[in-house]
Tab-separated table of all heavy atoms in Angstrom:
chain	number	residue	atom	x	y	z
F	1476	CYS	N	6.013	7.384	6.773
F	1476	CYS	CA	7.204	7.924	7.521
F	1476	CYS	C	6.961	7.069	8.988
F	1476	CYS	O	5.878	6.705	9.219
F	1476	CYS	CB	7.291	9.378	7.761
F	1476	CYS	SG	6.049	10.102	8.742
F	1477	GLY	N	8.006	7.132	9.718
F	1477	GLY	CA	7.848	6.580	11.064
F	1477	GLY	C	8.762	5.557	11.465
F	1477	GLY	O	9.075	5.075	12.553
F	1478	ILE	N	9.470	4.788	10.408
F	1478	ILE	CA	10.444	3.773	10.775
F	1478	ILE	C	11.865	4.241	10.855
F	1478	ILE	O	12.197	5.022	9.732
F	1478	ILE	CB	10.294	2.564	9.761
F	1478	ILE	CG1	8.842	1.856	9.758
F	1478	ILE	CG2	11.332	1.539	10.020
F	1478	ILE	CD1	8.764	0.814	8.803
F	1479	ARG	N	12.581	4.090	11.805
F	1479	ARG	CA	13.901	4.618	11.818
F	1479	ARG	C	14.895	3.459	12.206
F	1479	ARG	O	14.908	2.883	13.144
F	1479	ARG	CB	14.030	5.545	12.948
F	1479	ARG	CG	12.936	6.717	12.818
F	1479	ARG	CD	13.315	7.868	13.612
F	1479	ARG	NE	14.547	8.592	13.210
F	1479	ARG	CZ	14.988	9.740	13.787
F	1479	ARG	NH1	14.299	10.334	14.786
F	1479	ARG	NH2	15.979	10.366	13.334
F	1493	HIS	N	13.820	1.350	15.470
F	1493	HIS	CA	12.702	1.899	16.220
F	1493	HIS	C	11.759	2.660	15.392
F	1493	HIS	O	12.077	2.872	14.247
F	1493	HIS	CB	13.225	2.717	17.494
F	1493	HIS	CG	13.983	3.902	17.013
F	1493	HIS	ND1	15.285	3.835	16.580
F	1493	HIS	CD2	13.720	5.183	17.022
F	1493	HIS	CE1	15.716	5.039	16.181
F	1493	HIS	NE2	14.812	5.934	16.560
F	1494	TYR	N	10.655	2.982	16.008
F	1494	TYR	CA	9.518	3.763	15.396
F	1494	TYR	C	9.611	5.184	16.010
F	1494	TYR	O	9.837	5.322	17.198
F	1494	TYR	CB	8.201	3.047	15.597
F	1494	TYR	CG	8.151	1.743	15.015
F	1494	TYR	CD1	7.413	0.600	15.804
F	1494	TYR	CD2	8.754	1.383	13.776
F	1494	TYR	CE1	7.393	-0.698	15.156
F	1494	TYR	CE2	8.568	0.086	13.236
F	1494	TYR	CZ	7.915	-0.952	14.009
F	1494	TYR	OH	7.854	-2.239	13.327
F	1495	ASP	N	9.201	6.096	15.199
F	1495	ASP	CA	9.086	7.514	15.745
F	1495	ASP	C	7.968	8.213	15.136
F	1495	ASP	O	7.921	8.524	13.879
F	1495	ASP	CB	10.471	8.209	15.337
F	1495	ASP	CG	10.571	9.566	16.044
F	1495	ASP	OD1	9.533	10.052	16.611
F	1495	ASP	OD2	11.742	10.043	16.044
F	1496	SER	N	6.874	8.287	15.858
F	1496	SER	CA	5.681	9.057	15.455
F	1496	SER	C	5.543	10.360	16.158
F	1496	SER	O	4.510	11.094	16.250
F	1496	SER	CB	4.486	8.320	15.635
F	1496	SER	OG	4.341	7.936	16.978
F	1497	SER	N	6.786	10.974	16.578
F	1497	SER	CA	6.665	12.221	17.220
F	1497	SER	C	6.394	13.411	16.263
F	1497	SER	O	6.497	13.242	15.125
F	1497	SER	CB	8.047	12.569	17.882
F	1497	SER	OG	9.135	12.716	16.888
F	1498	TYR	N	5.845	14.491	16.854
F	1498	TYR	CA	5.554	15.670	16.029
F	1498	TYR	C	6.898	16.081	15.109
F	1498	TYR	O	6.799	16.401	13.983
F	1498	TYR	CB	5.125	16.824	16.982
F	1498	TYR	CG	5.130	18.137	16.222
F	1498	TYR	CD1	3.946	18.542	15.535
F	1498	TYR	CD2	6.144	19.003	16.389
F	1498	TYR	CE1	3.830	19.933	15.011
F	1498	TYR	CE2	6.116	20.345	15.739
F	1498	TYR	CZ	5.014	20.690	15.022
F	1498	TYR	OH	4.964	21.912	14.454
F	1499	THR	N	7.947	16.157	15.970
F	1499	THR	CA	9.225	16.641	15.339
F	1499	THR	C	9.681	15.754	14.180
F	1499	THR	O	9.936	16.229	13.031
F	1499	THR	CB	10.303	16.643	16.304
F	1499	THR	OG1	9.893	17.574	17.345
F	1499	THR	CG2	11.697	17.145	15.757
F	1500	HIS	N	9.514	14.487	14.393
F	1500	HIS	CA	9.982	13.452	13.205
F	1500	HIS	C	8.905	13.582	12.071
F	1500	HIS	O	9.478	13.570	10.987
F	1500	HIS	CB	10.064	12.104	13.798
F	1500	HIS	CG	10.501	11.186	12.772
F	1500	HIS	ND1	11.806	11.148	12.300
F	1500	HIS	CD2	9.882	10.097	12.054
F	1500	HIS	CE1	11.915	10.204	11.328
F	1500	HIS	NE2	10.803	9.593	11.227
F	1501	ILE	N	7.690	13.498	12.278
F	1501	ILE	CA	6.681	13.661	11.283
F	1501	ILE	C	6.896	14.897	10.376
F	1501	ILE	O	7.002	14.834	9.176
F	1501	ILE	CB	5.258	13.576	11.771
F	1501	ILE	CG1	4.956	12.228	12.436
F	1501	ILE	CG2	4.278	13.888	10.687
F	1501	ILE	CD1	3.562	12.120	13.111
F	1504	SER	N	10.168	14.535	8.411
F	1504	SER	CA	10.114	13.550	7.353
F	1504	SER	C	9.389	14.102	6.142
F	1504	SER	O	9.741	13.855	4.988
F	1504	SER	CB	9.361	12.282	7.931
F	1504	SER	OG	10.116	11.600	9.024
F	1522	ILE	N	1.261	6.869	8.482
F	1522	ILE	CA	2.388	6.356	9.412
F	1522	ILE	C	2.564	4.974	9.273
F	1522	ILE	O	1.629	4.118	9.137
F	1522	ILE	CB	1.720	6.674	10.859
F	1522	ILE	CG1	1.410	8.150	11.104
F	1522	ILE	CG2	2.787	6.252	11.880
F	1522	ILE	CD1	2.553	9.121	10.939
F	1524	ARG	N	4.207	2.268	10.685
F	1524	ARG	CA	3.883	1.231	11.462
F	1524	ARG	C	3.421	1.933	12.793
F	1524	ARG	O	3.907	2.933	13.183
F	1524	ARG	CB	5.196	0.429	11.837
F	1524	ARG	CG	5.697	-0.436	10.687
F	1524	ARG	CD	5.102	-1.702	10.621
F	1524	ARG	NE	5.484	-2.466	9.483
F	1524	ARG	CZ	5.112	-3.657	9.207
F	1524	ARG	NH1	4.232	-4.315	10.006
F	1524	ARG	NH2	5.632	-4.406	8.185
F	1526	ASP	N	3.505	2.827	16.517
F	1526	ASP	CA	4.530	3.179	17.473
F	1526	ASP	C	4.040	2.969	18.802
F	1526	ASP	O	2.981	3.648	19.273
F	1526	ASP	CB	4.969	4.686	17.226
F	1526	ASP	CG	6.019	5.146	18.134
F	1526	ASP	OD1	6.505	4.298	18.940
F	1526	ASP	OD2	6.387	6.407	18.244
F	1529	MET	N	3.472	6.169	20.526
F	1529	MET	CA	2.776	7.140	19.899
F	1529	MET	C	1.948	7.822	20.759
F	1529	MET	O	1.087	7.218	21.483
F	1529	MET	CB	2.098	6.661	18.620
F	1529	MET	CG	1.001	5.704	18.782
F	1529	MET	SD	0.455	4.986	17.224
F	1529	MET	CE	-0.803	3.815	17.706
F	1533	GLU	N	-0.115	14.382	19.820
F	1533	GLU	CA	1.065	14.989	19.213
F	1533	GLU	C	1.014	14.602	17.640
F	1533	GLU	O	1.404	15.533	16.788
F	1533	GLU	CB	2.270	14.410	19.729
F	1533	GLU	CG	3.642	15.032	19.447
F	1533	GLU	CD	4.794	14.499	20.152
F	1533	GLU	OE1	4.531	13.792	21.177
F	1533	GLU	OE2	6.008	14.779	19.725
Side-chain angles (χ1 to χ4, degrees):
C1476 70
I1478 298 178
R1479 306 193 71 175
H1493 59 286
Y1494 302 138
D1495 190 343
S1496 60
S1497 66
Y1498 168 86
T1499 300
H1500 183 67
I1501 293 172
S1504 294
I1522 300 300
R1524 292 274 178 180
D1526 174 9
M1529 63 184 175
E1533 192 173 345

